[in-house]
């Protein structure tokens, strides 16, 4: 493990230097890795493991996703099977189904979790709120997690570019004495940049908070609020969008992603610097109570229950499409379509 200074706090992380791919291959040389589910995380993790030389099979129900797996090179009857057959063959069962699907498949999956196998997740949801999901694994299997900090698409794209997406990892149950080695080997195998330790509970609460907060929910709320105020005060759609979204995503985010917010401030105009420094406090003070409320809702299991209840409704997909359509058809995101077409790379 490498000791790293994160803002004055020393944490241990595992890098590819300390845990090379050759070591990962050696640890997992006798394992059959069964990737269950080929939706969001499945393709990236399965393909990266395959390309890195591990023994991987995929378990997926028949349908569009099954066909996608075939298009990605998985061969029915050889490396692509039903969920049941893959789970039976696998010594490490990577459960990469959606949270709702995990609940429905769990009674089936449980039959194949025989002593000594490893059950792998990329999200702590099912285990953290097991009283709500019903996912309670037996004590005679390893229960482990590697959670990439991004989408499966990003994991695959960065892998193909020779880069890595950072991941957290956790061991919930070590029945075999080799759970940690299995976990780290899988983390390196899927193409992680570096690995940092967490717990299932911490990963689940931070993940749900992030999704509802700065990563998705809060950012859309902030963008739409600013766009609406500009439009209500006479600014055109193009001007409102460029000052709210386009400059943020195309100009400023790459700057502070590369070198930090202070560096970005230092490389903006003095007018922008002063305004940003003066107004970050009021925005922080307005937002923090909302984030606190959000975190407590996540920690209590309320957000998990809302998700479970919503995903259990037979008309959930239809309702979801209506909500997404409302976003898609809003003036701000219809303006985005035109702005994207006008970017130099598209002309």
């Amino acid at each position: 493990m490498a000791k790293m200074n994160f803002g004055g706090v020393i944490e241990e992380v595992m890098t590819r230097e300390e845990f090379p791919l050759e070591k990962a291959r050696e640890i997992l040389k006798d394992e059959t890795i069964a990737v269950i589910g080929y939706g969001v995380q499945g393709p990236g993790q399965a393909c990266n493991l395959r390309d890195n030389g591990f023994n991987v099979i995929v378990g997926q129900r028949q349908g569009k996703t099954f066909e996608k797996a075939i298009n990605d090179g998985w061969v029915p009857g050889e490396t692509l099977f039903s969920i049941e057959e893959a789970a039976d063959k696998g010594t490490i069962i990577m459960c990469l189904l959606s949270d709702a699907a995990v609940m429905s498949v769990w009674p089936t999956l449980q039959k194949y979790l025989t002593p000594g196998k490893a059950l792998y997740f990329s999200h702590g949801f099912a285990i953290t709120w097991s009283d709500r999901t019903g996912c309670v694994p037996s004590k005679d299997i390893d229960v482990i997690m590697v959670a990439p900090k991004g989408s499966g698409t990003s994991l695959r794209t960065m892998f193909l570019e020779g880069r890595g997406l950072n991941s957290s990892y956790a061991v919930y149950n070590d029945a075999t004495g080799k759970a940690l080695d299995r976990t780290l080997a899988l983390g390196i195998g899927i193409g992680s940049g570096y690995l940092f330790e967490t717990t299932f509970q911490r990963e689940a609460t931070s993940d749900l908070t992030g999704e509802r907060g700065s990563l998705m929910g809060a950012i859309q709320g902030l963008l739409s609020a600013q766009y609406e105020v500009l439009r209500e005060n006479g600014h055109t759609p193009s001007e409102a969008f460029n000052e709210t979204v386009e400059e943020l995503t195309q100009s400023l985010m790459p700057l502070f992603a590369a070198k930090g917010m202070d560096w970005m401030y230092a490389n903006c105009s003095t007018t922008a610097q002063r305004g940003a420094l003066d107004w970050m406090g009021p925005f922080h003070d307005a937002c923090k109570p909302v984030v606190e409320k959000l975190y407590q809702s996540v920690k209590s299991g309320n957000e998990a229950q809302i998700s479970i209840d919503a995903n259990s409704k037979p008309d959930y997909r239809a309702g979801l499409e209506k909500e997404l359509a409302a976003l898609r058809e809003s003036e701000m995101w219809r303006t985005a379509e035109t702005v994207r077409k006008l970017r130099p790379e598209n002309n």
Side-chain angles (χ1 to χ4, degrees):
M1 292 281 188
K3 293 184 182 295
M4 304 295 292
N5 187 327
F6 291 91
V9 178
I10 303 300
E11 291 186 40
E12 289 188 339
V13 300
M14 183 62 76
T15 69
R16 300 179 192 183
E17 284 70 36
E18 286 83 32
F19 205 107
L21 184 58
E22 292 75 18
K23 180 178 179 179
R25 290 194 188 111
E26 178 63 24
I27 288 170
L28 301 179
K29 65 181 180 180
D30 297 323
E31 305 271 19
T32 297
I33 303 167
V35 175
I36 307 300
Y38 207 74
V40 178
Q41 281 289 336
Q45 295 199 34
C47 290
N48 289 1
L49 284 165
R50 180 182 63 188
D51 290 355
N52 269 334
F54 296 89
N55 181 25
V56 189
I57 60 175
V58 171
Q60 176 60 44
R61 301 262 188 249
Q62 290 284 344
K64 289 183 179 179
T65 310
F66 193 90
E67 295 304 315
K68 172 177 168 48
I70 293 174
N71 292 335
D72 285 347
W74 303 97
V75 181
E78 294 181 15
T79 55
L80 178 59
F81 304 94
S82 68
I83 288 175
E84 293 81 359
E85 194 169 359
D88 185 37
K89 291 177 180 293
T91 58
I92 296 175
I93 298 177
M94 298 179 72
C95 187
L96 299 180
L97 299 156
S98 69
D99 295 323
V102 172
M103 292 171 59
S104 64
V105 172
W106 179 250
T108 299
L109 208 56
Q110 213 171 4
K111 302 172 188 175
Y112 302 100
L113 296 173
T114 51
K117 286 193 176 186
L119 174 62
Y120 167 110
F121 292 95
S122 281
H123 189 19
F125 188 104
I127 297 297
T128 298
W129 293 292
S130 59
D131 58 327
R132 301 166 189 264
T133 65
C135 297
V136 181
S138 63
K139 299 294 185 182
D140 55 9
I141 63 169
D142 292 344
V143 182
I144 61 179
M145 176 176 66
V146 176
K149 298 300 104 182
S151 70
T153 301
S154 298
L155 182 73
R156 181 61 176 165
T157 300
M158 293 175 73
F159 176 85
L160 293 173
E161 293 172 350
R163 299 187 293 145
L165 190 64
N166 299 331
S167 302
S168 60
Y169 73 91
V171 174
Y172 180 79
N173 191 57
D174 183 6
T176 66
K178 57 183 182 179
L180 180 59
D181 279 348
R182 278 171 149 177
T183 305
L184 295 174
L186 288 164
I188 295 300
I190 66 171
S192 299
Y194 72 83
L195 293 149
F196 60 96
E197 190 173 8
T198 187
T199 66
F200 274 64
Q201 190 272 340
R202 278 167 40 203
E203 191 282 333
T205 50
S206 61
D207 189 75
L208 266 66
T209 299
E211 291 166 348
R212 286 150 179 76
S214 64
L215 301 179
M216 296 174 70
I219 193 68
Q220 169 61 23
L222 174 60
L223 296 178
S224 60
Q226 180 171 304
Y227 181 88
E228 289 164 10
V229 168
L230 290 173
R231 290 288 289 123
E232 288 160 6
N233 283 276
H235 298 270
T236 65
S238 178
E239 184 171 53
F241 185 84
N242 273 279
E243 295 292 352
T244 299
V245 180
E246 190 73 354
E247 187 173 351
L248 171 67
T249 59
Q250 301 304 301
S251 174
L252 301 183
M253 288 182 77
L255 295 182
F256 68 76
K259 297 192 176 181
M261 193 68 76
D262 63 316
W263 190 89
M264 186 195 77
Y265 280 14
N267 285 274
C268 290
S269 71
T270 54
T271 303
Q273 291 168 1
R274 186 70 267 143
L277 290 166
D278 289 347
W279 276 93
M280 69 181 185
F283 272 105
H284 168 273
D285 294 346
C287 292
K288 188 167 182 182
V290 180
V291 178
E292 288 280 8
K293 183 178 179 180
L294 163 60
Y295 187 81
Q296 293 306 319
S297 185
V298 172
K299 188 176 179 181
S300 69
N302 183 54
E303 293 298 314
Q305 193 61 53
I306 290 171
S307 178
I308 291 168
D309 291 344
N311 283 294
S312 298
K313 294 179 180 177
D315 60 347
Y316 173 72
R317 286 291 170 188
L320 173 65
E321 181 49 41
K322 287 182 180 179
E323 291 180 281
L324 296 180
L327 263 181
R328 187 168 56 248
E329 296 304 318
S330 67
E331 184 186 271
M332 184 172 77
W333 292 115
R334 283 190 288 115
T335 299
E337 293 178 12
T338 302
V339 172
R340 284 194 292 268
K341 291 175 184 176
L342 293 171
R343 289 175 186 164
E345 66 266 24
N346 294 325
N347 292 307

